[in-house]
mmCIF file of all heavy atoms in Angstrom:
data_model
loop_
_atom_site.group_PDB
_atom_site.id
_atom_site.type_symbol
_atom_site.label_atom_id
_atom_site.label_comp_id
_atom_site.label_asym_id
_atom_site.label_seq_id
_atom_site.Cartn_x
_atom_site.Cartn_y
_atom_site.Cartn_z
ATOM 1 N N VAL K 762 167.933 -108.755 -1.238
ATOM 2 C CA VAL K 762 166.904 -108.749 -2.281
ATOM 3 C C VAL K 762 166.952 -110.079 -3.027
ATOM 4 O O VAL K 762 167.920 -110.826 -2.919
ATOM 5 C CB VAL K 762 167.117 -107.612 -3.306
ATOM 6 C CG1 VAL K 762 167.124 -106.266 -2.616
ATOM 7 C CG2 VAL K 762 168.406 -107.844 -4.094
ATOM 8 N N LYS K 763 165.887 -110.346 -3.780
ATOM 9 C CA LYS K 763 165.898 -111.556 -4.606
ATOM 10 C C LYS K 763 166.427 -111.169 -5.980
ATOM 11 O O LYS K 763 165.877 -110.297 -6.658
ATOM 12 C CB LYS K 763 164.480 -112.125 -4.686
ATOM 13 C CG LYS K 763 164.346 -113.230 -5.703
ATOM 14 C CD LYS K 763 163.440 -114.394 -5.305
ATOM 15 C CE LYS K 763 163.423 -115.442 -6.440
ATOM 16 N NZ LYS K 763 164.787 -115.858 -6.862
ATOM 17 N N LEU K 764 167.486 -111.821 -6.384
ATOM 18 C CA LEU K 764 168.103 -111.479 -7.676
ATOM 19 C C LEU K 764 168.808 -112.702 -8.223
ATOM 20 O O LEU K 764 169.675 -113.265 -7.566
ATOM 21 C CB LEU K 764 169.116 -110.335 -7.475
ATOM 22 C CG LEU K 764 169.949 -109.969 -8.707
ATOM 23 C CD1 LEU K 764 169.073 -109.403 -9.812
ATOM 24 C CD2 LEU K 764 171.038 -108.958 -8.335
ATOM 25 N N ASP K 765 168.414 -113.136 -9.408
ATOM 26 C CA ASP K 765 169.107 -114.240 -10.067
ATOM 27 C C ASP K 765 170.033 -113.670 -11.127
ATOM 28 O O ASP K 765 169.697 -112.697 -11.798
ATOM 29 C CB ASP K 765 168.111 -115.182 -10.744
ATOM 30 C CG ASP K 765 167.322 -115.978 -9.708
ATOM 31 O OD1 ASP K 765 167.890 -116.254 -8.639
ATOM 32 O OD2 ASP K 765 166.145 -116.283 -9.976
ATOM 33 N N TYR K 766 171.174 -114.289 -11.246
ATOM 34 C CA TYR K 766 172.080 -113.913 -12.334
ATOM 35 C C TYR K 766 172.675 -115.199 -12.881
ATOM 36 O O TYR K 766 172.615 -116.235 -12.216
ATOM 37 C CB TYR K 766 173.188 -112.977 -11.819
ATOM 38 C CG TYR K 766 174.123 -113.630 -10.840
ATOM 39 C CD1 TYR K 766 175.307 -114.235 -11.272
ATOM 40 C CD2 TYR K 766 173.821 -113.674 -9.478
ATOM 41 C CE1 TYR K 766 176.161 -114.859 -10.366
ATOM 42 C CE2 TYR K 766 174.670 -114.297 -8.577
ATOM 43 C CZ TYR K 766 175.841 -114.893 -9.029
ATOM 44 O OH TYR K 766 176.684 -115.521 -8.137
ATOM 45 N N SER K 767 173.211 -115.137 -14.069
ATOM 46 C CA SER K 767 173.870 -116.343 -14.566
ATOM 47 C C SER K 767 175.252 -115.981 -15.105
ATOM 48 O O SER K 767 175.541 -114.817 -15.373
ATOM 49 C CB SER K 767 173.019 -117.026 -15.639
ATOM 50 O OG SER K 767 172.782 -116.152 -16.701
ATOM 51 N N ILE K 768 176.089 -117.003 -15.209
ATOM 52 C CA ILE K 768 177.464 -116.807 -15.677
ATOM 53 C C ILE K 768 177.687 -117.703 -16.882
ATOM 54 O O ILE K 768 177.380 -118.894 -16.843
ATOM 55 C CB ILE K 768 178.481 -117.138 -14.570
ATOM 56 C CG1 ILE K 768 178.267 -116.227 -13.365
ATOM 57 C CG2 ILE K 768 179.914 -117.013 -15.096
ATOM 58 C CD1 ILE K 768 179.193 -116.515 -12.203
ATOM 59 N N GLY K 769 178.186 -117.116 -17.924
ATOM 60 C CA GLY K 769 178.443 -117.896 -19.135
ATOM 61 C C GLY K 769 179.708 -117.425 -19.798
ATOM 62 O O GLY K 769 180.496 -116.676 -19.219
ATOM 63 N N THR K 770 179.897 -117.837 -21.028
ATOM 64 C CA THR K 770 181.158 -117.518 -21.688
ATOM 65 C C THR K 770 180.968 -117.285 -23.168
ATOM 66 O O THR K 770 180.008 -117.761 -23.762
ATOM 67 C CB THR K 770 182.187 -118.647 -21.488
ATOM 68 O OG1 THR K 770 183.426 -118.248 -22.079
ATOM 69 C CG2 THR K 770 181.744 -119.931 -22.163
ATOM 70 N N MET K 771 181.900 -116.547 -23.734
ATOM 71 C CA MET K 771 182.013 -116.449 -25.178
ATOM 72 C C MET K 771 182.648 -117.756 -25.668
ATOM 73 O O MET K 771 183.553 -118.289 -25.033
ATOM 74 C CB MET K 771 182.966 -115.324 -25.568
ATOM 75 C CG MET K 771 182.615 -113.975 -25.028
ATOM 76 S SD MET K 771 181.448 -113.101 -26.060
ATOM 77 C CE MET K 771 182.465 -112.716 -27.485
ATOM 78 N N ILE K 772 182.179 -118.221 -26.800
ATOM 79 C CA ILE K 772 182.902 -119.285 -27.506
ATOM 80 C C ILE K 772 183.487 -118.597 -28.734
ATOM 81 O O ILE K 772 182.791 -118.332 -29.712
ATOM 82 C CB ILE K 772 181.969 -120.450 -27.893
ATOM 83 C CG1 ILE K 772 181.316 -121.059 -26.652
ATOM 84 C CG2 ILE K 772 182.743 -121.515 -28.677
ATOM 85 C CD1 ILE K 772 182.214 -121.860 -25.736
ATOM 86 N N GLU K 773 184.761 -118.261 -28.629
ATOM 87 C CA GLU K 773 185.377 -117.466 -29.700
ATOM 88 C C GLU K 773 186.770 -117.962 -30.038
ATOM 89 O O GLU K 773 187.504 -117.317 -30.765
ATOM 90 C CB GLU K 773 185.390 -115.984 -29.325
ATOM 91 C CG GLU K 773 186.007 -115.670 -27.986
ATOM 92 C CD GLU K 773 185.851 -114.195 -27.576
ATOM 93 O OE1 GLU K 773 185.692 -113.346 -28.447
ATOM 94 O OE2 GLU K 773 185.907 -113.923 -26.352
ATOM 95 N N LEU K 774 187.123 -119.110 -29.471
ATOM 96 C CA LEU K 774 188.392 -119.744 -29.825
ATOM 97 C C LEU K 774 188.082 -121.162 -30.295
ATOM 98 O O LEU K 774 187.212 -121.816 -29.714
ATOM 99 C CB LEU K 774 189.307 -119.824 -28.602
ATOM 100 C CG LEU K 774 189.757 -118.487 -28.012
ATOM 101 C CD1 LEU K 774 190.534 -118.721 -26.731
ATOM 102 C CD2 LEU K 774 190.597 -117.720 -29.021
ATOM 103 N N PRO K 775 188.796 -121.633 -31.309
ATOM 104 C CA PRO K 775 188.534 -123.003 -31.757
ATOM 105 C C PRO K 775 188.592 -124.007 -30.606
ATOM 106 O O PRO K 775 187.759 -124.902 -30.506
ATOM 107 C CB PRO K 775 189.637 -123.249 -32.786
ATOM 108 C CG PRO K 775 189.920 -121.888 -33.337
ATOM 109 C CD PRO K 775 189.775 -120.949 -32.169
ATOM 110 N N ARG K 776 189.550 -123.839 -29.692
ATOM 111 C CA ARG K 776 189.634 -124.800 -28.604
ATOM 112 C C ARG K 776 188.353 -124.815 -27.785
ATOM 113 O O ARG K 776 187.908 -125.863 -27.316
ATOM 114 C CB ARG K 776 190.817 -124.486 -27.681
ATOM 115 C CG ARG K 776 191.073 -125.636 -26.710
ATOM 116 C CD ARG K 776 192.149 -125.332 -25.676
ATOM 117 N NE ARG K 776 192.639 -126.559 -25.080
ATOM 118 C CZ ARG K 776 192.064 -127.176 -24.070
ATOM 119 N NH1 ARG K 776 190.968 -126.698 -23.539
ATOM 120 N NH2 ARG K 776 192.567 -128.304 -23.592
#
Side-chain angles (χ1 to χ4, degrees):
Chain K
V762 302
K763 170 142 181 52
L764 174 65
D765 289 329
Y766 66 93
S767 58
I768 299 178
T770 184
M771 304 274 289
I772 301 289
E773 53 187 336
L774 296 174
R776 191 186 198 276

